[in-house]
Amino acid sequence: MGRFAVGVVGCGSMGSALAEALILGGQRVLLAGGLGRTAAALAATLPGAHAVPPEVLARDSAIVFLATRLPVSRREVAPLLRGPLEGTVVVDLSNPEPADLRDPEYDSAGELVAELFPRSSVVKALNCVSARRLRALAHGAPAPTVPIAGNDPAAKQCVSYLLERLGFDVADAGPLHTSKWIEGLAALLRTLAEQEGLGDAVGFRLLRADMTANDQTGVRR
């Protein structure tokens, strides 16, 4: 696929870390942010990033990451970019609070974001990775596993390709409705981090069993 423009909506800690990782991975990055954490201020610290109006970001990006909380995506981002992002791969990074999913129609933030962007190909990814882990990976730390979910195989392939270029181990968790389990994993990681006193350093790595016919050890690897 080569080098292409990637959009990041939201310039908080996660959006900033993601933009930095993407630039180190050789991607052209377009940024759009809100008041207090402006895209222009972030772009000034990241050579290779460009602050643009949200509509320009939507038009020129092959993939757009929503590094925004779910209420912000619902109230501010979707009304502005629902139309411009038609046909674009949209990656939802959010982890919902209980109040965010009061509507019984939705079991996950991923499904709700897909409803907000009905003509986009929504993929759930990166919600189990902290900004700290993301920055550490860009500087040689061990790679965590990123489970992804989505209903469009081609969109998931694009997202997987990009995340693997950044150094992540990617695991396809299936269709978008499995986002609820990925979001549940993020909640579990937060709980373990609090109990172990690890803060946002905790991560997840999937160990894949390899029981081949030629394995003479009898040990599952």
Side-chain angles (χ1 to χ4, degrees):
M1 291 179 63
R3 190 172 184 265
F4 51 89
V6 179
V8 178
V9 179
C11 296
S13 58
M14 190 62 182
S16 301
L18 177 58
E20 180 181 341
L22 288 166
I23 290 168
L24 290 175
Q27 298 302 141
R28 177 169 165 256
V29 176
L30 304 180
L31 300 171
L35 296 175
R37 293 186 182 273
T38 68
L42 177 58
T45 70
L46 295 175
H50 305 274
V52 296
E55 297 87 350
V56 174
L57 179 147
R59 182 193 68 200
D60 293 347
S61 299
I63 298 176
V64 172
F65 287 85
L66 297 184
T68 46
R69 294 184 300 109
L70 185 57
V72 175
S73 296
R74 175 188 278 169
R75 293 193 309 263
E76 301 177 24
V77 181
L80 182 64
L81 295 182
R82 182 180 291 114
L85 285 175
E86 179 176 344
T88 302
V89 177
V90 173
V91 185
D92 169 41
L93 280 64
S94 66
N95 282 308
E97 298 295 335
D100 294 335
L101 299 176
R102 277 183 267 184
D103 189 332
E105 183 179 353
Y106 305 108
D107 291 324
S108 69
E111 292 170 297
L112 198 155
V113 169
E115 183 70 17
L116 295 175
F117 297 92
R119 297 187 181 276
S120 302
S121 295
V122 173
V123 176
K124 186 76 183 188
L126 283 180
N127 65 299
C128 295
V129 179
S130 69
R132 180 178 175 185
R133 294 296 310 173
L134 186 52
R135 285 196 167 93
L137 175 66
H139 293 88
T145 298
V146 175
I148 69 171
N151 295 333
D152 183 343
K156 286 197 292 185
Q157 185 176 12
C158 290
V159 175
S160 295
Y161 168 83
L162 181 57
L163 295 179
E164 286 168 355
R165 281 196 58 176
L166 297 184
F168 286 107
D169 172 58
V170 179
D172 188 343
L176 194 62
H177 71 78
T178 62
S179 294
K180 62 183 177 181
W181 305 118
I182 303 176
E183 292 164 13
L185 174 60
L188 174 61
L189 290 174
R190 287 197 301 271
T191 299
L192 292 174
E194 291 171 2
Q195 292 181 347
E196 298 290 333
L198 297 173
D200 58 358
V202 69
F204 160 71
R205 179 75 185 195
L206 178 66
L207 299 180
R208 296 171 175 84
D210 181 16
M211 296 293 288
T212 65
N214 295 325
D215 187 356
Q216 302 298 317
T217 66
V219 177
R220 179 174 295 182
R221 296 178 297 175

PDB file of all heavy atoms in Angstrom, residues 48 50 52 93 113 119 135 142 146 175 186 200:
ATOM      1  N   GLY A  48       6.232  16.645   9.928  1.00  0.00           N
ATOM      2  CA  GLY A  48       5.551  15.612   9.148  1.00  0.00           C
ATOM      3  C   GLY A  48       4.068  15.549   9.408  1.00  0.00           C
ATOM      4  O   GLY A  48       3.330  14.880   8.672  1.00  0.00           O
ATOM      5  N   HIS A  50       0.408  17.686   9.778  1.00  0.00           N
ATOM      6  CA  HIS A  50      -0.182  18.902   9.221  1.00  0.00           C
ATOM      7  C   HIS A  50      -1.553  19.145   9.851  1.00  0.00           C
ATOM      8  O   HIS A  50      -2.415  18.253   9.833  1.00  0.00           O
ATOM      9  CB  HIS A  50      -0.334  18.767   7.708  1.00  0.00           C
ATOM     10  CG  HIS A  50       0.950  18.413   7.003  1.00  0.00           C
ATOM     11  ND1 HIS A  50       1.864  19.355   6.611  1.00  0.00           N
ATOM     12  CD2 HIS A  50       1.463  17.200   6.662  1.00  0.00           C
ATOM     13  CE1 HIS A  50       2.903  18.750   6.042  1.00  0.00           C
ATOM     14  NE2 HIS A  50       2.678  17.442   6.051  1.00  0.00           N
ATOM     15  N   VAL A  52      -5.111  20.598   9.724  1.00  0.00           N
ATOM     16  CA  VAL A  52      -6.017  20.970   8.628  1.00  0.00           C
ATOM     17  C   VAL A  52      -7.437  21.056   9.175  1.00  0.00           C
ATOM     18  O   VAL A  52      -7.749  20.485  10.233  1.00  0.00           O
ATOM     19  CB  VAL A  52      -5.967  19.934   7.487  1.00  0.00           C
ATOM     20  CG1 VAL A  52      -4.589  19.889   6.847  1.00  0.00           C
ATOM     21  CG2 VAL A  52      -6.373  18.551   7.982  1.00  0.00           C
ATOM     22  N   LEU A  93     -11.264   4.363  18.642  1.00  0.00           N
ATOM     23  CA  LEU A  93     -10.344   4.037  19.737  1.00  0.00           C
ATOM     24  C   LEU A  93     -11.005   4.120  21.107  1.00  0.00           C
ATOM     25  O   LEU A  93     -10.352   3.885  22.115  1.00  0.00           O
ATOM     26  CB  LEU A  93      -9.158   5.009  19.729  1.00  0.00           C
ATOM     27  CG  LEU A  93      -8.014   4.775  18.753  1.00  0.00           C
ATOM     28  CD1 LEU A  93      -8.449   4.893  17.313  1.00  0.00           C
ATOM     29  CD2 LEU A  93      -6.861   5.754  19.026  1.00  0.00           C
ATOM     30  N   VAL A 113     -20.530   3.912  17.167  1.00  0.00           N
ATOM     31  CA  VAL A 113     -19.792   4.733  16.203  1.00  0.00           C
ATOM     32  C   VAL A 113     -20.175   4.340  14.772  1.00  0.00           C
ATOM     33  O   VAL A 113     -20.304   5.201  13.895  1.00  0.00           O
ATOM     34  CB  VAL A 113     -18.276   4.604  16.425  1.00  0.00           C
ATOM     35  CG1 VAL A 113     -17.489   5.237  15.278  1.00  0.00           C
ATOM     36  CG2 VAL A 113     -17.882   5.257  17.747  1.00  0.00           C
ATOM     37  N   ARG A 119     -22.125   5.274   6.530  1.00  0.00           N
ATOM     38  CA  ARG A 119     -21.556   5.051   5.197  1.00  0.00           C
ATOM     39  C   ARG A 119     -20.030   4.948   5.220  1.00  0.00           C
ATOM     40  O   ARG A 119     -19.390   5.007   4.170  1.00  0.00           O
ATOM     41  CB  ARG A 119     -22.018   6.154   4.242  1.00  0.00           C
ATOM     42  CG  ARG A 119     -23.526   6.177   4.037  1.00  0.00           C
ATOM     43  CD  ARG A 119     -23.930   7.168   2.969  1.00  0.00           C
ATOM     44  NE  ARG A 119     -25.376   7.200   2.799  1.00  0.00           N
ATOM     45  CZ  ARG A 119     -26.075   6.353   2.039  1.00  0.00           C
ATOM     46  NH1 ARG A 119     -25.442   5.394   1.364  1.00  0.00           N
ATOM     47  NH2 ARG A 119     -27.389   6.469   1.936  1.00  0.00           N
ATOM     48  N   ARG A 135       3.760   5.152  22.748  1.00  0.00           N
ATOM     49  CA  ARG A 135       5.034   5.856  22.609  1.00  0.00           C
ATOM     50  C   ARG A 135       6.208   4.911  22.858  1.00  0.00           C
ATOM     51  O   ARG A 135       7.236   4.995  22.188  1.00  0.00           O
ATOM     52  CB  ARG A 135       5.093   7.034  23.572  1.00  0.00           C
ATOM     53  CG  ARG A 135       4.255   8.228  23.142  1.00  0.00           C
ATOM     54  CD  ARG A 135       4.627   9.489  23.899  1.00  0.00           C
ATOM     55  NE  ARG A 135       4.039  10.662  23.273  1.00  0.00           N
ATOM     56  CZ  ARG A 135       2.867  11.181  23.632  1.00  0.00           C
ATOM     57  NH1 ARG A 135       2.178  10.633  24.633  1.00  0.00           N
ATOM     58  NH2 ARG A 135       2.391  12.240  23.012  1.00  0.00           N
ATOM     59  N   PRO A 142       8.580  -3.862  23.696  1.00  0.00           N
ATOM     60  CA  PRO A 142       7.871  -5.029  23.179  1.00  0.00           C
ATOM     61  C   PRO A 142       6.475  -4.659  22.673  1.00  0.00           C
ATOM     62  O   PRO A 142       5.806  -3.799  23.241  1.00  0.00           O
ATOM     63  CB  PRO A 142       7.794  -5.958  24.398  1.00  0.00           C
ATOM     64  CG  PRO A 142       8.944  -5.551  25.256  1.00  0.00           C
ATOM     65  CD  PRO A 142       9.074  -4.072  25.068  1.00  0.00           C
ATOM     66  N   VAL A 146      -2.994  -5.984  19.455  1.00  0.00           N
ATOM     67  CA  VAL A 146      -4.144  -5.109  19.227  1.00  0.00           C
ATOM     68  C   VAL A 146      -5.268  -5.936  18.617  1.00  0.00           C
ATOM     69  O   VAL A 146      -5.188  -6.317  17.447  1.00  0.00           O
ATOM     70  CB  VAL A 146      -3.790  -3.943  18.290  1.00  0.00           C
ATOM     71  CG1 VAL A 146      -5.038  -3.124  17.961  1.00  0.00           C
ATOM     72  CG2 VAL A 146      -2.735  -3.055  18.913  1.00  0.00           C
ATOM     73  N   PRO A 175     -16.345  -9.798  13.570  1.00  0.00           N
ATOM     74  CA  PRO A 175     -17.218  -8.682  13.189  1.00  0.00           C
ATOM     75  C   PRO A 175     -17.322  -7.631  14.280  1.00  0.00           C
ATOM     76  O   PRO A 175     -16.871  -7.833  15.418  1.00  0.00           O
ATOM     77  CB  PRO A 175     -18.564  -9.359  12.934  1.00  0.00           C
ATOM     78  CG  PRO A 175     -18.514 -10.616  13.720  1.00  0.00           C
ATOM     79  CD  PRO A 175     -17.085 -11.060  13.720  1.00  0.00           C
ATOM     80  N   ALA A 186     -10.224  -4.011  27.685  1.00  0.00           N
ATOM     81  CA  ALA A 186      -9.617  -2.756  28.127  1.00  0.00           C
ATOM     82  C   ALA A 186      -9.973  -2.459  29.577  1.00  0.00           C
ATOM     83  O   ALA A 186      -9.128  -2.006  30.360  1.00  0.00           O
ATOM     84  CB  ALA A 186     -10.061  -1.611  27.221  1.00  0.00           C
ATOM     85  N   ASP A 200      -0.545   3.127  33.559  1.00  0.00           N
ATOM     86  CA  ASP A 200      -0.874   2.877  32.160  1.00  0.00           C
ATOM     87  C   ASP A 200       0.226   2.113  31.427  1.00  0.00           C
ATOM     88  O   ASP A 200       0.292   2.115  30.205  1.00  0.00           O
ATOM     89  CB  ASP A 200      -1.164   4.198  31.437  1.00  0.00           C
ATOM     90  CG  ASP A 200       0.008   5.161  31.499  1.00  0.00           C
ATOM     91  OD1 ASP A 200       1.020   4.832  32.130  1.00  0.00           O
ATOM     92  OD2 ASP A 200      -0.107   6.250  30.898  1.00  0.00           O
TER      93      ASP A 200
END
